[in-house]
Amino acid sequence: MPIPKTLKHRLIFLLLLCSLFPVVVIGTMSHSSMYSMLRNEAEKGVAGNLHQTRLSFENTLSQLNHASQQLVFEGEIGRKLDAYLSEADMFEKRRLSEEIESEISLIHFTNPTLGVIFYYLADRNEVIFDNAPLHADFDFFEHPLLAEQLYFTYYGPHVSINPLDGNKVLSVVRKVDIPARDDVYLYMETDFKLTDRILSTDDIFRDTSYFFVDSMDRIAYSEKEADFPTGTSHPPRAAGGSVKKKGYYLFEEASNQSWRIVAAVPEESYNQAIHRWVTKFAVLAALSVTVGCFLAYIIWRMVYKPLLQLQRNIRRLKHGQMSEPLDFTYQKVVEFSEIHRDFASMKQTIDELIVDVDRNAQAKKQLEIENLLYKINPHFIHNTLDTIRWLARVNGHHETDRLVSALNRLLHYNLGKGRTATIREEMEALKNYVMLQGVRYNFTFDVRVNAAKELLELPVPRFILQPLVENSISHGLRNKSGGQGVIEVIVREEAGFSGIVIEVRDNGYGMTEEEAKLLMSGEGEYNSKTGMGIGWHYVRRMLELQFAGEASMQLSSSLGMGTAITLRLPIERKEGRPNVERDGR
C-alpha cells in the first residue's frame, strides 16, 4: 500500500496505524503527584456540589424573608392584621379576617416553595390565620437556630410542625412590629419536600452527608448524629480545602447569612474513588504519552525540513538577495511543494513590480519636464509676438527684421531635439533672448556673461540658463527703482568640486527669506503670473532627472540687495562629451 503524499493523508494513515498496535507502557507516573492531582479534582467536585447546596439554602431562606416582608406591619397584610387585632366590631373583624386569609392563600399559591404560615400571639399562646394543621405541643423557638438577624430568625433544617408532614423544612420567625402590641410573631416554613430535595443533590460520592453550623459555631442540624451530634461545637477551619476528622473528609462553605454548611465524605469512599481514578488515568496517560510522542516525532521530521527551506528563502528575500535562486530540494509533501511554488511566483512578481516602478518613475519625471517645457515656450512666444506687434505699430518696420531674426534663432534652439547642449550654445541662445527682452521691457538692463574658454564646449542640460535669467529680469529688475539693472552669468570651476558651477546674479529688488524658502520648497510654484514658478520648477526637475540627485541648486536673496542662484553640476571633463543624458536620447 503506497503512503499518500499529502500531509493530511499521512497523519490519518499514521494515526490508524498506531491504533492497531498494542501500547507498551514506557513508565509510570509519580504516585504522589497523581494522587495530589486527582485528590484536588475530587475536592473540586465535592466543593462544587457543596457550593450549589449552600446557594440553594441561601436562596430558599431569602425567599422566606421576602415573602414574610409582605405579612409584617410594613406590608399591606400587616396593616390589616393591626386593624383586625384592634377592631371591636365583629362584622368588620370578620371581613378583615377573610381578606387576610385570602391574601395569605394568594402568597402561598404564588410561592410554591412555601409551606406552613401563621401568626402567633405570644401573650395568649394563640395561633391565628394558620393555613395548615399544627402539632398541639409545638414550640418553634426550640427549632435548631441557624442565624439570628435584627428583625427575623432562621431555623432548620427541622421536622415540619404540620402533623401530616414528617419531612425536614427550613423556617423563619420574625416579629410583627404593631405599634400597640409587642407579642405578635409571624412563622413561615418551606415546602415539606424542598429541604430533602436540596440535600439529595447528586454528588460524586453517594454517601456524602451534611450538617449545619449556626452563627455561634454549634452544630444546629446533622445527618450524622453519631459522629457529629447536634449542639456540639464545630469551629471554622483556618484555610480552604478539606479537613480529615473522625474518619471523614470535611468540606465547608460559609453563608452570608452567618451560618455554615459542612459536607462529610467517608474516608473509605473518598480514597476508593481516588484509587479508581488513578488506575484509569494511568492507563489513559500512558497510552496518550506513547502515541503522542511517536506521532510528534514523525510530524517533526515531516514538517521541519520544508519549513527550514522556506525560512531560508524568506531570509534571502528579506536581505535583498533577489537574484539568488530559491531552494526547492525538499518537495515530498504536496502542501509544502505548493507553498514553495507560490513563494517563487510571489518573488517573480515583486521583481517585476520593482522594475515597473523604476521605469514608471523615470517616465513620469520625463513627462513632467516635457510638460513644463511646452508650457514655457508658448508663454514666451505669446509675449514676444505681442512685442513685435507693438514695435510694428509704434515704430513702423525699422527693427522688425532684427527682432524676427533673433526670435527665429531662439525658437530654433529652444525647440531643438535632445536634452543637452554646450555652454557655448546656451550662451548664444541667451544673447538672442536678452536682445528680445531688451526690446520688450521699457527699462534698461545689462547682461554680462563670464565663462572660461576651456569650459565652453562642456555639455549642460538644454534651456537651463534662459529660465534663470528670465526670473532675474521679470522678478528682480522690473521692480527695481532707479539705476541700471545688471545680470551676471558666471560659469566657473570650484576647488574641491569636480564639476562646474553656474551662477546667475542680479542687483534687483530681491525677495524676503520666507519667499525664498517657499520657492526652494516647491510650494506654490505654479502660482506666478509671469512664469517664474514654471521656469524654476523646470530647472529643478531637469537637474533631478539628468543628474539623479548629484546636482545642487541654491538660492540666496535679500530685499534691496538682489538675488543669486547657484547651480553645481557634476560634469567630468573627459575626451568626448560626458554622459549626462541618462535615457540615451
Side-chain angles (χ1 to χ4, degrees):
M1 177 180 177
I3 299 178
K5 292 185 177 181
T6 65
L7 181 61
K8 175 182 177 181
H9 292 164
R10 286 192 177 191
L11 290 175
I12 295 175
F13 176 80
L14 291 173
L15 289 172
L16 291 175
L17 182 63
C18 291
S19 64
L20 297 177
F21 288 93
V23 178
V24 179
V25 179
I26 59 175
T28 59
M29 301 182 64
S30 170
H31 180 270
S32 59
S33 62
M34 178 62 72
Y35 181 87
S36 175
M37 182 182 67
L38 293 178
R39 179 175 177 178
N40 290 337
E41 193 70 25
E43 287 184 352
K44 288 180 181 179
V46 176
N49 287 337
L50 180 62
H51 179 72
Q52 293 299 324
T53 303
R54 192 262 301 172
L55 287 179
S56 298
F57 276 107
E58 271 189 358
N59 293 336
T60 301
L61 292 175
S62 296
Q63 291 173 7
L64 285 176
N65 179 33
H66 294 322
S68 67
Q69 288 178 354
Q70 306 175 56
L71 301 174
V72 296
F73 181 72
E74 290 80 2
E76 181 67 23
I77 302 177
R79 287 192 290 271
K80 290 181 179 180
L81 176 64
D82 180 32
Y84 170 82
L85 294 175
S86 60
E87 182 61 49
D89 185 0
M90 297 301 296
F91 292 102
E92 180 63 19
K93 195 165 189 174
R94 178 63 181 172
R95 185 187 66 79
L96 290 171
S97 175
E98 291 176 353
E99 289 184 2
I100 293 173
E101 289 177 351
S102 175
E103 293 192 24
I104 290 176
S105 298
L106 179 61
I107 292 175
H108 184 271
F109 177 77
T110 56
N111 292 272
T113 59
L114 298 182
V116 176
I117 303 174
F118 62 84
Y119 288 101
Y120 177 70
L121 307 179
D123 61 342
R124 294 184 292 184
N125 193 24
E126 178 183 355
V127 174
I128 59 175
F129 301 116
D130 49 308
N131 66 342
L134 307 176
H135 281 289
D137 56 348
F138 75 89
D139 184 357
F140 53 76
F141 292 108
E142 295 299 325
H143 291 163
L145 176 66
L146 279 183
E148 190 171 9
Q149 304 293 338
L150 182 60
Y151 299 106
F152 50 86
T153 305
Y154 293 132
Y155 294 97
H158 59 84
V159 178
S160 174
I161 61 177
N162 185 350
L164 302 179
D165 190 5
N167 295 284
K168 299 179 183 66
V169 296
L170 302 177
S171 61
V172 62
V173 175
R174 64 188 304 163
K175 191 174 182 180
V176 182
D177 291 329
I178 296 177
R181 304 181 66 101
D182 194 30
D183 64 331
V184 182
Y185 294 88
L186 170 67
Y187 177 85
M188 183 180 294
E189 67 180 34
T190 60
D191 177 63
F192 67 92
K193 294 182 179 179
L194 181 62
T195 303
D196 289 338
R197 191 162 55 245
I198 296 175
L199 290 176
S200 62
T201 303
D202 290 339
D203 200 299
I204 57 175
F205 302 104
R206 296 293 180 181
D207 48 357
T208 300
S209 56
Y210 297 89
F211 60 89
F212 289 81
V213 182
D214 62 19
S215 58
M216 304 299 293
D217 296 334
R218 293 173 301 186
I219 298 178
Y221 167 80
S222 175
E223 291 185 332
K224 291 289 184 180
E225 282 287 342
D227 299 310
F228 304 99
T230 302
T232 58
S233 175
H234 185 80
R237 66 178 186 270
S242 62
V243 176
K244 187 176 178 181
K245 185 177 181 180
K246 297 182 180 181
Y248 292 88
Y249 284 98
L250 303 182
F251 302 81
E252 73 174 50
E253 269 209 21
S255 169
N256 55 16
Q257 298 167 342
S258 302
W259 52 268
R260 291 177 287 137
I261 182 171
V262 182
V265 181
E267 182 179 358
E268 181 181 355
S269 176
Y270 188 81
N271 291 332
Q272 182 180 2
I274 291 181
H275 292 325
R276 184 171 60 251
W277 289 345
V278 167
T279 303
K280 291 181 180 179
F281 188 81
V283 174
L284 293 176
L287 179 62
S288 300
V289 169
T290 303
V291 176
C293 291
F294 181 75
L295 292 179
Y297 175 77
I298 297 298
I299 293 174
W300 181 84
R301 292 287 298 172
M302 188 184 304
V303 173
Y304 177 75
K305 285 190 176 181
L307 285 181
L308 183 60
Q309 290 177 359
L310 184 61
Q311 182 186 32
R312 291 172 181 168
N313 292 332
I314 292 175
R315 285 180 178 175
R316 292 178 182 175
L317 188 62
K318 176 182 177 182
H319 295 297
Q321 301 173 353
M322 304 289 289
S323 59
E324 295 187 10
L326 300 178
D327 184 10
F328 298 130
T329 57
Y330 194 89
Q331 298 184 5
K332 297 181 180 179
V333 180
V334 173
E335 286 83 357
F336 284 111
S337 177
E338 293 177 355
I339 291 175
H340 280 277
R341 286 198 299 269
D342 292 341
F343 183 83
S345 176
M346 181 189 69
K347 176 182 177 297
Q348 182 180 357
T349 303
I350 292 175
D351 293 341
E352 295 173 355
L353 287 176
I354 292 175
V355 174
D356 291 341
V357 168
D358 292 340
R359 186 185 300 113
N360 292 337
Q362 196 75 6
K364 181 180 178 182
K365 292 179 182 178
Q366 179 62 30
L367 288 175
E368 288 179 358
I369 293 174
E370 292 178 357
N371 183 41
L372 292 172
L373 181 61
Y374 290 140
K375 287 181 180 179
I376 295 173
N377 286 335
H379 176 75
F380 174 70
I381 293 173
H382 177 73
N383 291 337
T384 305
L385 291 177
D386 283 345
T387 302
I388 294 174
R389 185 173 59 185
W390 176 78
L391 285 175
R393 237 179 239 179
V394 175
N395 301 325
H397 298 283
H398 301 90
E399 297 187 16
T400 301
D401 182 56
R402 184 171 65 89
L403 186 62
V404 171
S405 298
L407 177 61
N408 285 336
R409 287 193 299 272
L410 184 61
L411 289 178
H412 177 75
Y413 175 77
N414 287 348
L415 299 178
K417 295 183 178 180
R419 293 206 306 266
T420 60
T422 63
I423 295 177
R424 186 189 302 279
E425 292 171 342
E426 276 287 298
M427 295 293 188
E428 291 296 326
L430 182 61
K431 290 179 182 179
N432 293 322
Y433 170 76
V434 169
M435 184 184 69
L436 292 173
Q437 295 294 63
V439 177
R440 175 186 174 191
Y441 291 108
N442 59 357
F443 61 89
T444 60
F445 59 89
D446 184 19
V447 178
R448 303 170 184 174
V449 178
N450 184 6
K453 292 183 180 181
E454 62 270 16
L455 303 179
L456 293 179
E457 300 304 322
L458 293 180
V460 292
R462 178 185 291 272
F463 197 61
I464 198 172
L465 292 180
Q466 179 180 321
L468 302 181
V469 174
E470 181 181 8
N471 287 340
S472 297
I473 296 173
S474 300
H475 301 280
L477 300 184
R478 71 183 300 179
N479 295 324
K480 180 179 176 61
S481 59
Q484 182 179 7
V486 177
I487 300 175
E488 290 186 277
V489 180
I490 303 172
V491 182
R492 58 181 176 83
E493 295 179 297
E494 186 177 72
F497 182 64
S498 60
I500 63 172
V501 179
I502 299 177
E503 293 183 89
V504 179
R505 300 177 176 270
D506 65 68
N507 63 346
Y509 180 73
M511 65 183 72
T512 64
E513 184 178 353
E514 290 75 14
E515 292 173 336
K517 289 181 179 180
L518 184 66
L519 191 61
M520 286 297 295
S521 66
E523 299 180 8
E525 292 176 331
Y526 298 99
N527 295 332
S528 175
K529 295 181 180 179
T530 58
M532 179 179 183
I534 297 175
W536 180 267
H537 188 56
Y538 165 78
V539 174
R540 288 180 59 188
R541 298 297 287 171
M542 176 63 76
L543 295 180
E544 181 180 351
L545 176 64
Q546 293 203 25
F547 296 99
E550 297 179 2
S552 65
M553 186 176 185
Q554 296 177 340
L555 182 146
S556 61
S557 179
S558 59
L559 289 177
M561 301 298 293
T563 302
I565 302 173
T566 304
L567 305 181
R568 286 181 170 80
L569 309 181
I571 300 175
E572 297 181 3
R573 300 179 60 182
K574 301 179 182 178
E575 268 199 43
R577 184 169 294 182
N579 185 19
V580 297
E581 191 165 332
R582 299 299 176 96
D583 62 352
R585 180 183 288 182

